[in-house]
Amino acid sequence: MRIVIALGGNALLRRGEALSAENQRRNVRLAAQAIAPLAQDHDLVITHGNGPQVGLLALQGAAYQEGEAYPLDILDAETEGMVGYLIEQELIGRLPSGRQCATLLTQIEVDPEDFGFNHPSKPIGPFYPSAEADTLIQERGWSIIHDGDQCRRVVPSPQPKRILELGVIELLLQQQVVTICAGGGGIPVVRLDDGGLEGVEAVIDKDLASSLLARELKADALLLLTDVEAVYSAWPADQARAIRRIAPKALGQFCFAPGSMGPKVEAACRFVEQSGTIAGIGRLQDAAAILAGEAGTLIDREASGIDYWSR
């Protein structure tokens, strides 16, 4: 099977953890331990989030004089290389004999007229108390959303249209190279009138980019791995139940948080509806079990009704 695995930002950096190299490396090591066994029998493509990392680089850049800070597309490229390097380093010694691993910086084309440019929605960077967030709005002109009892900065997040390095990814997979690509949703670029490319100030949603990648690669499965054991109905109400197996249309009757589970559900449904194969959502450590239908939530066009996990 050909499997696209999307590692969520919360899977690589636990909520409330300091954004240190040591913490990230430790969490990446756990991710590598969970997904490396799948390389024994499957071709793997790995994507990852970058919200905390790109937000930290943006904060560091803000310390420079006005006009010297790097734009988000360059920060996207930096974090794609950084996190890819950590994943590659932790994976390489755990892969089956003879399997290689490579990280590919990936440009993804977006529409310059996309609705998302005027409606920032992608959370990046650390969490802030409400009072500090109000100050940042005044001083830096940031867009801020509430996330629980704290706040986060949000930036434009246009829809991914085209993966420009798709042919290179195909070549790597033909050689059975475990490929890390489209990290952080890829590097957002727009097409110029002369046919050239130009980066834009945005962060593409990693799950939607992973769904597009899985569809274009004709993958057999898409796994969206995070720190939540499954998709829950009616979350966070007391009657919420963990969904075991469900069809995309049935999943559409529920509402999910736009900054967390919402994009994962949307990405999974897009993939399943257009590919006819399966998608899974669940905890990072359950990767193999999710694929086998023994953990997490499977989104399957052939599912009838809603199959819940028994408590």
Side-chain angles (χ1 to χ4, degrees), residues 42-177:
H42 308 291
D43 293 329
L44 302 185
V45 180
I46 300 168
T47 71
H48 58 80
N50 75 338
Q53 293 84 1
V54 78
L56 177 62
L57 289 182
L59 277 175
Q60 292 171 342
Y64 288 98
Q65 296 298 318
E66 185 176 354
E68 294 182 351
Y70 287 153
L72 283 174
D73 61 303
I74 292 180
L75 301 185
D76 288 331
E78 288 185 14
T79 55
E80 188 173 3
M82 178 187 74
V83 179
Y85 156 71
L86 292 173
I87 296 172
E88 186 175 338
Q89 198 168 67
E90 293 298 333
L91 261 183
I92 200 67
R94 296 177 170 86
L95 294 176
S97 177
R99 295 296 296 275
Q100 298 184 41
C101 184
T103 300
L104 179 68
L105 295 186
T106 312
Q107 299 177 91
I108 296 185
E109 186 178 347
V110 301
D111 184 344
E113 303 300 323
D114 191 288
F115 173 87
F117 283 112
N118 295 320
H119 298 82
S121 62
K122 179 63 177 175
I124 66 169
F127 291 84
Y128 301 99
S130 294
E132 186 177 351
D134 290 339
T135 301
L136 291 170
I137 292 172
Q138 295 297 321
E139 293 181 351
R140 300 184 182 177
W142 285 359
S143 296
I144 298 287
I145 62 166
H146 288 275
D147 190 330
D149 58 353
Q150 293 190 300
C151 301
R152 286 185 84 183
R153 179 189 178 190
V154 288
V155 299
S157 183
Q159 295 284 315
K161 289 178 54 183
R162 188 173 297 107
I163 297 167
L164 301 183
E165 282 78 19
L166 187 68
V168 180
I169 297 169
E170 281 281 10
L171 288 173
L172 290 169
L173 289 174
Q174 288 170 18
Q175 299 301 314
Q176 293 191 306
V177 176

Side-chain angles (χ1 to χ4, degrees), residues 157-222:
S157 183
Q159 295 284 315
K161 289 178 54 183
R162 188 173 297 107
I163 297 167
L164 301 183
E165 282 78 19
L166 187 68
V168 180
I169 297 169
E170 281 281 10
L171 288 173
L172 290 169
L173 289 174
Q174 288 170 18
Q175 299 301 314
Q176 293 191 306
V177 176
V178 175
T179 304
I180 305 163
C181 61
I187 305 161
V189 298
V190 295
R191 185 74 62 178
L192 302 176
D193 292 340
D194 63 4
L197 298 168
E198 182 175 74
V200 290
E201 187 79 353
V203 176
I204 300 171
D205 182 83
K206 171 265 307 174
D207 296 313
L208 297 182
S210 300
S211 179
L212 175 62
L213 177 66
R215 297 195 306 271
E216 294 197 348
L217 288 174
K218 296 180 172 56
D220 300 291
L222 169 64

Side-chain angles (χ1 to χ4, degrees), residues 229-231 242-246 279-282 290 295-299 309:
E229 63 179 353
V231 178
I243 299 170
R244 179 173 186 170
R245 188 167 177 261
I246 190 171
I281 300 175
I290 295 168
T297 299
L298 271 187
I299 298 92
W309 288 102

